[in-house]
Amino acid sequence: MIMLALMAAIILCLFSACTIPISLVTVGMLSFLYWSTTARDPYGLFHLSLNKLPGEDIDSSPKTEWLNMGFWKDTNVFPEACQALCCKLIRAAQCKNGDRILDVGHGTGDSLIVLLSQPVGQRPSAVTGITSLPVHHDRSRARIDRLLSSLSNPPPRVDLYLGDAVCQHSKAAHPLDSSSLTSFDRILALDCAYHFNTRLDFLRQSYLKLVPGGRIALADICFDAQMLQSRRLWFLSSVFKLMPRHNMISAEEYVAQLRDIGYVDVNLEDITEEVFPGFVRFLKSRGIGWKMFASIIEWYSKAGTRFVIVSGCRHQCLSA
């Protein structure tokens, strides 16, 4: 009853303003009910089904376990699009042989596998990962252990942490803890930083853990500056809570935040048209629940949401 009353209040509020289409409210509420009743944890293992390819045994595990929106420029296959986005992020970070890399929000480990599977001469010397979900952490550990045991050459060092992306300075070990002596050449955040509470804190902590000349790269979300105050975007962010409101900033504000922290050589590439349309088409082919979720992503895009690749260096990058 409380939930129904809340939904009714939202609908009455929205229609009193006469600016939100009834289809947006209806599908939004249906989506909320569907996901709240079918998944206790919206970021558990639901993504495994998205990785199943046509013709694969329905009872077998998928070969990949990607969990991002993908880069769909030259493919219509979900795992290929997800790997393409990961590789685009790695290129933006300018990863090179011998790097010490921190991969934040790695899901069940596919981005870690890509980093560790680089050919000899392009492989990092150490890979650190952190994810906030125990099921993702445990599954990543098992998958990485299997991969490392299959490598013929001495494998890179791998350290996996369970915890929030932002260091809270608790007793638990954390790769971004300011008291730790560990530093990184590259820090990656693949389609996840908009969830961090807050992203600005994460960017500040990452800056301090990068070596001089080290680079951070994020596949992330920002917004069209003129749309940030729109009622439609307010509705979407308030009901679906895709991200903390502090993270809802324009591309210009994003670049300014990085520069204010001290990052140099800051780059932001808008790849919205290679991400949202392909991801939405894919989701709409996966059944009614995914169609409703696709509608939410589609409305976010129409409300001024931009998908971007952002990168920046700790000072001395240009002279390194």
Side-chain angles (χ1 to χ4, degrees), residues 77-154:
V77 179
F78 179 70
E80 292 179 2
C82 291
Q83 181 159 333
L85 183 61
C86 178
C87 291
K88 189 171 182 63
L89 183 67
I90 291 172
R91 289 193 297 272
Q94 300 176 16
C95 295
K96 61 184 187 302
N97 186 54
D99 276 345
R100 294 160 296 171
I101 300 176
L102 171 61
D103 186 358
V104 182
H106 54 70
T108 53
D110 282 80
S111 56
L112 297 171
I113 290 172
V114 169
L115 290 169
L116 294 167
S117 300
Q118 296 296 310
V120 175
Q122 302 176 33
R123 191 174 294 172
S125 62
V127 173
T128 301
I130 184 167
T131 183
S132 62
L133 297 180
V135 65
H136 286 186
H137 173 76
D138 294 342
R139 199 171 182 94
S140 294
R141 168 53 66 193
R143 298 179 75 202
I144 295 307
D145 285 346
R146 288 196 297 270
L147 173 64
L148 293 180
S149 66
S150 69
L151 297 178
S152 57
N153 293 288

